């Protein structure tokens, strides 16, 4: 049985069914007005916890940091959806539908809830002349949600790069030299009068480019967790007791 003192331990903890399947995370715990004991737990289910289902908590148990309810995952997820009012209460009709879904006897549960509940520091109602004053307490927790996404995207751009490189080429130049004793034999080696031609191949250089890929940088995304203080405002109900006592003038007139 889950007690009120265990509520902070339950909130935002995983909830499992009887077969060890995770149903979701505990979001809210609802207190029975008559017994002042935990009665229902709302469980965030579905993708990213977008849905909320209700399950009885009276027979649940806290096991090694998670809550185990005596129902299957499908039973909890198929429970009737209810709209909790601003005061954090289930209406009688909504609670009745939930009892029917989980096969709990509504009349027996209602009678049991409205019986006097003795406890430490609290006498059963009707056994003395005192009146018990009760009030609600608000338990505040946190839930994690998706606030946005950041991504790395790699794309290719083309830039124009200029470099200056020397290139060489050959040019033809006609050289004439007079006949001397040193070159006379070579000059008279051929026929006296003839026709002929001599060809020289000219060479030149031109720039060529070649590219190769080299890694230059590693980029990654990291997240830093920041803690901020936020003030949470809620509404809780409390009972007040006023005494209607006759004054002295009324006593004298009697």
């Amino acid at each position: 049985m889950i007690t009120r003192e265990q509520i902070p331990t339950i909130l935002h903890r995983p909830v499992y069914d009887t077969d060890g399947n995770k149903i979701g995370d505990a979001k809210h715990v609802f207190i029975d007005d008559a017994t002042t004991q935990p009665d229902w737990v709302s469980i965030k289910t579905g993708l990213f916890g977008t849905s909320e289902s209700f399950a009885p908590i009276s027979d649940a148990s806290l096991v090694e940091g998670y809550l185990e309810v005596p129902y299957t995952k499908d039973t909890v997820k198929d429970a009737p959806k209810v709209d909790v009012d601003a005061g954090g209460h289930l209406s009688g009709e909504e609670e009745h539908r939930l009892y029917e879904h989980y096969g709990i006897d509504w009349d027996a549960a209602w009678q049991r809830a409205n019986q006097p509940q003795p406890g430490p520091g609290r006498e059963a109602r009707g056994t003395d002349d005192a009146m018990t004053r009760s009030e609600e307490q608000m338990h505040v927790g946190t839930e994690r949600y998706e606030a946005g996404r950041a991504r790395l995207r790699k794309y290719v751009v083309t830039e124009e790069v200029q470099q200056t490189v020397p290139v060489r080429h050959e040019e033809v130049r006609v050289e004439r030299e007079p006949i001397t004793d040193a070159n006379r034999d070579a000059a008279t080696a051929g026929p006296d009068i003839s026709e002929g031609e001599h060809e020289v191949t000219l060479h030149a250089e031109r720039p060529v480019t070649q590219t190769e890929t080299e890694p230059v940088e590693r980029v990654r995304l990291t997240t830093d967790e920041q803690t901020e203080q936020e003030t949470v405002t809620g509404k809780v109900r409390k009972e007040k007791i006023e005494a209607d006592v006759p004054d002295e003038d009324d006593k004298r007139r009697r």
Side-chain angles (χ1 to χ4, degrees), residues 241-247 250 254:
I241 299 176
E242 294 182 354
D244 188 2
V245 180
D247 56 24
D250 293 335
R254 291 181 180 178

Side-chain angles (χ1 to χ4, degrees), residues 67-231:
L67 184 68
E68 182 178 277
V69 294
Y71 303 98
T72 64
K73 180 178 181 179
D74 291 338
T75 300
V76 175
K77 294 182 68 174
D78 294 339
K81 304 303 179 185
V82 298
D83 184 16
V84 181
D85 62 26
H89 278 70
L90 300 176
S91 67
E93 180 182 353
E94 291 170 335
E95 197 167 19
H96 197 172
R97 288 193 289 117
L98 287 171
Y99 272 118
E100 287 183 345
H101 174 75
Y102 286 103
I104 301 174
D105 189 336
W106 164 259
D107 293 329
W110 188 89
Q111 293 176 5
R112 184 170 59 252
N114 285 274
Q115 288 178 354
Q117 301 292 326
R122 177 179 179 181
E123 296 294 335
R125 297 183 180 181
T127 60
D128 57 18
D129 295 332
M131 181 180 292
T132 300
R133 186 180 70 85
S134 302
E135 64 183 39
E136 296 176 338
Q137 295 181 352
M138 183 174 68
H139 300 275
V140 180
T142 61
E143 64 177 341
R144 192 177 185 89
Y145 67 96
E146 184 177 307
R149 294 190 178 186
R151 63 173 57 89
L152 288 176
R153 183 169 61 90
K154 185 170 68 172
Y155 59 95
V156 178
V157 297
T158 301
E159 296 180 352
E160 185 175 287
V161 179
Q162 292 184 348
Q163 290 186 4
T164 302
V165 58
V167 293
R168 297 174 299 178
H169 68 276
E170 295 177 341
E171 295 180 352
V172 66
R173 184 176 70 253
V174 178
E175 294 184 354
R176 299 176 184 275
E177 58 182 18
I179 301 300
T180 63
D181 293 338
N183 59 17
R184 185 178 296 277
D185 292 340
T188 58
D192 293 337
I193 300 297
S194 64
E195 294 182 354
E197 64 181 22
H198 179 69
E199 183 179 273
V200 175
T201 301
L202 303 176
H203 296 86
E205 295 178 339
R206 61 173 175 265
V208 294
T209 61
Q210 181 181 358
T211 61
E212 61 180 9
T213 302
E214 294 183 359
V216 295
E217 188 180 30
R218 294 278 291 169
V219 181
R220 64 171 55 88
L221 289 177
T222 59
T223 60
D224 296 324
E225 187 173 276
Q226 305 293 331
T227 301
E228 299 177 351
Q229 300 294 329
E230 289 193 8
T231 301

Side-chain angles (χ1 to χ4, degrees), residues 57-74:
I57 200 175
S58 56
D59 295 328
S61 56
L62 191 60
V63 182
E64 297 180 356
Y66 65 87
L67 184 68
E68 182 178 277
V69 294
Y71 303 98
T72 64
K73 180 178 181 179
D74 291 338

